[in-house]
Amino acid sequence: MTETNVKPFNLDFDLVTGLSKSTKSTKRHLSKMKGMYADDAAFAAAVQSGDPLVYEFYELDLPETSGNLLFGTSIVYPGKVGNEYYMTKGHFHTILETGEVYYCLSGEGAMLLENPEGDWDLQRFIPGQAVYVPPRYAHRSINLGTEPLVTFFTFRADAGHDYGTIETKGYRKLVIEKDGKPEIIDNPKWK
Ligand SMILES: O=P(O)(O)OC[C@H]1O[C@](O)(CO)[C@@H](O)[C@@H]1O
Ligand SMILES: [Fe+2]
C-alpha cells in the first residue's frame, strides 16, 4: 500500500473505556516494563502475583509515510507500583523533530515530557483537555486517578518509536503518591 491508495475509513473508540469494537489493541503488562519503576521489589512482587495489565493502545496498519497520520486511543489503567503511579513506557520519536497531539477523553492523569537538552514538564490530563507534545520531547502518560486514563493521540506515521533511550537512561523525573497526592521527584535511577 502507498500513501496515495489508502482509502477513507472510520473507527470507533468508546469515550469512557477508550476501547474499539472494530480493531485489536496492543497490551502492555507490567513485566514488559522491567527497570522502569523505582521500586524493584514492589515491581517483582506485582509481576509475581498476576502481572497486571498496565496499559493498552491501538496501532493502525497504515503505511509509515510522512503523509499519513497514525491515531488511536491509549488507555492507562489505575494502579501503582510501590508509590509510583501506573504509566506508559514513554518514548522519543525516532524522527526526533516530529510532534504529537493527545486529547483526554476520560479519567485523570498527566503527561510527563522531557527533551535531550534536559527541559522537562508535566501537563495535566483531564477530560476535554488537549496536550501538545512538541518535537524532541519524550512523552509518557501517567494515571493519577481511580478510573482508566483514556487519551486519543495522533502523530505523523513515519515518526517511529525510540524506546532505547528511555530504557537505558530512564526519565529525569518520577511521579509518586505522597500523602495522598501526586508529587514529582528526581528519578534515583536516572543515568
Ligand atoms: O509507546 P509507549 O510509551 O509504550 O506508549 C504507547 C503509546 O504511545 C503511542 O505510541 C503514541 O505516542 C501510542 O501508540 C500509545 O498510546
Ligand atoms: Fe509518540
Side-chain angles (χ1 to χ4, degrees):
M1 203 179 348
T2 66
E3 191 158 291
T4 48
N5 68 8
V6 177
K7 295 288 187 195
F9 65 93
N10 63 71
L11 283 177
D12 64 292
F13 294 103
D14 188 277
L15 287 166
V16 175
T17 66
L19 297 170
S20 177
K21 289 191 204 67
S22 50
T23 181
K24 253 187 81 149
S25 70
T26 300
K27 296 183 167 61
R28 294 234 215 271
H29 288 261
L30 188 61
S31 55
K32 292 280 164 345
M33 302 182 75
K34 198 166 167 34
M36 293 190 161
Y37 290 87
D39 187 337
D40 289 321
F43 175 89
V47 169
Q48 190 71 33
S49 64
D51 193 12
L53 176 63
V54 178
Y55 64 103
E56 56 187 303
F57 56 94
Y58 292 91
E59 293 180 294
L60 296 184
D61 185 22
L62 285 176
E64 294 184 359
T65 60
S66 61
N68 277 299
L69 294 171
L70 292 176
F71 65 89
T73 49
S74 157
I75 305 142
V76 185
Y77 291 101
K80 286 194 295 277
V81 176
N83 60 5
E84 194 175 356
Y85 298 95
Y86 276 10
M87 60 190 183
T88 62
K89 285 183 166 188
H91 57 265
F92 286 96
H93 289 152
T94 312
I95 302 178
L96 197 55
E97 303 300 332
T98 48
E100 183 163 351
V101 175
Y102 280 75
Y103 182 65
C104 182
L105 303 178
S106 59
E108 58 170 316
M111 172 76 87
L112 182 62
L113 300 125
E114 72 172 52
N115 70 9
E117 290 70 38
D119 185 48
W120 66 270
D121 201 359
L122 189 73
Q123 288 289 326
R124 205 62 205 237
F125 276 136
I126 52 169
Q129 187 99 349
V131 172
Y132 183 52
V133 178
R136 307 185 71 77
Y137 279 79
H139 38 289
R140 160 180 283 170
S141 304
I142 305 171
N143 189 331
L144 302 174
T146 53
E147 303 296 328
L149 170 66
V150 180
T151 53
F152 179 88
F153 61 83
T154 185
F155 61 100
R156 225 174 78 182
D158 63 343
H161 292 73
D162 164 17
Y163 291 106
T165 311
I166 296 298
E167 275 165 8
T168 53
K169 284 175 72 79
Y171 263 82
R172 286 176 164 79
K173 301 287 170 183
L174 297 180
V175 184
I176 59 158
E177 186 186 72
K178 184 141 182 254
D179 304 326
K181 288 198 306 270
E183 186 171 297
I184 305 167
I185 61 163
D186 288 338
N187 179 2
K189 290 183 172 174
W190 184 71
K191 298 188 202 84

